[in-house]
Amino acid sequence: MNNQKRTGVFGGTFDPIHYGHIDAVKAARNALDLDTVLLVPTKANPHRSSLPIVSEFHRFAMVALAVVDHERLCASDIELVVPDLSFTAVTLERLAHAGAMPEEIFFITGADAFAEVATWHDYPNLLNRSHFVVVSRPNFPASYIREQLPDLASRMHAVSNNHTKTSSNTKPEIWLVDTKTRDISSSNIRHNILRGRSISGLVPPMVDAYIKRNNLYSSSNINSD
């Protein structure tokens, strides 16, 4: 093992965070043997026209509660403390300014989202700012990305949950993690809450309790994920 700190970054609206998010992050952490994974609530998602339902404060609090019992996972407010939109390229640039090298950073994303990477801000330059870890989503295995993005196939590598360790001088690549993640969406959780249904088993217990205690989503307009 080398002495570099391998940091995963997983961004999302987390409105609210749920077990599908946790499944993806843990799969990436285990597959690439990451030292820590930052879960980063976004201020606003530039790929969606709708704004988050609840405040930054509540979304950050729910993320912090969701990861408290999970080793090497932690909440980060790196995108909440600045006024800008939450562009992946900008976040990776901030990490670089803080001293992180591209080969030390592993940006984690779902396969469905990465299929649209050509529409992301500062593409293709952002692919050189960190490794990208593409995790399967329900009905969208990470391995499908090779077919979706053939021009990037030469940079893709399949990994499993066997603690793959890249060398200290490995240039940023695209790592495909085929794994099972629970089929849960934040929009369905919000619909359940609005209708008075239980969300037990969809979110961590402390997140469930926080939502109830603060009466979140009970009368909000529901947006799709």
Side-chain angles (χ1 to χ4, degrees):
M1 294 177 61
N2 62 67
N3 294 323
Q4 290 181 306
K5 188 175 181 64
R6 299 155 62 83
T7 302
V9 179
F10 183 63
T13 308
F14 301 129
D15 198 20
I17 189 170
H18 54 68
Y19 277 128
H21 297 131
I22 301 298
D23 289 347
V25 170
K26 290 174 65 177
R29 180 199 64 188
N30 295 342
L32 276 302
D33 197 16
L34 303 179
D35 296 299
T36 188
V37 179
L38 307 178
L39 281 79
V40 182
T42 59
K43 183 179 291 289
N45 190 330
H47 297 285
R48 299 178 185 173
S49 58
S50 58
L51 293 174
I53 298 294
V54 303
S55 70
E56 300 167 7
F57 174 87
H58 286 310
R59 291 185 291 113
F60 181 84
M62 287 188 286
V63 171
L65 290 170
V67 301
V68 69
D69 292 327
H70 294 283
E71 184 182 5
R72 292 178 283 153
L73 305 186
C74 63
S76 170
D77 64 356
I78 187 175
E79 292 192 357
L80 300 181
V81 296
V82 294
D84 309 318
L85 286 175
S86 302
F87 289 113
T88 297
V90 175
T91 297
L92 295 176
E93 186 175 0
R94 290 193 194 107
L95 291 171
H97 287 164
M101 301 296 290
E103 60 269 22
E104 299 173 314
I105 303 299
F106 295 75
F107 188 86
I108 302 165
T109 182
D112 52 347
F114 192 75
E116 305 296 327
V117 69
T119 68
W120 294 16
H121 178 69
D122 199 30
Y123 175 86
N125 296 326
L126 84 163
L127 294 177
N128 296 318
R129 293 182 176 172
S130 78
H131 294 280
F132 279 75
V133 185
V134 181
V135 182
S136 297
R137 289 275 290 161
N139 302 314
F140 202 135
S143 57
Y144 282 12
I145 287 294
R146 294 183 187 275
E147 302 174 14
Q148 297 285 325
L149 302 171
D151 291 344
L152 298 178
S154 63
R155 298 183 63 165
M156 297 179 186
H157 307 275
V159 295
S160 65
N161 288 333
N162 295 324
H163 300 290
T164 298
K165 196 73 166 179
T166 60
S167 65
S168 60
N169 59 356
T170 300
K171 66 179 181 178
E173 300 283 10
I174 300 167
W175 304 91
L176 308 182
V177 180
D178 266 324
T179 189
K180 185 175 181 180
T181 58
R182 278 170 275 193
D183 191 2
I184 304 172
S185 72
S186 296
S187 59
N188 284 339
I189 291 170
R190 297 194 299 265
H191 278 292
N192 283 348
I193 294 170
L194 190 64
R195 288 163 174 75
R197 299 171 183 163
S198 172
I199 59 171
S200 175
L202 302 179
V203 301
M206 285 193 289
V207 174
D208 191 353
Y210 184 90
I211 290 171
K212 291 174 180 175
R213 184 167 63 250
N214 291 279
N215 198 33
L216 302 182
Y217 308 112
S218 60
S219 59
S220 301
N221 292 323
I222 303 299
N223 295 323
S224 59
D225 278 356

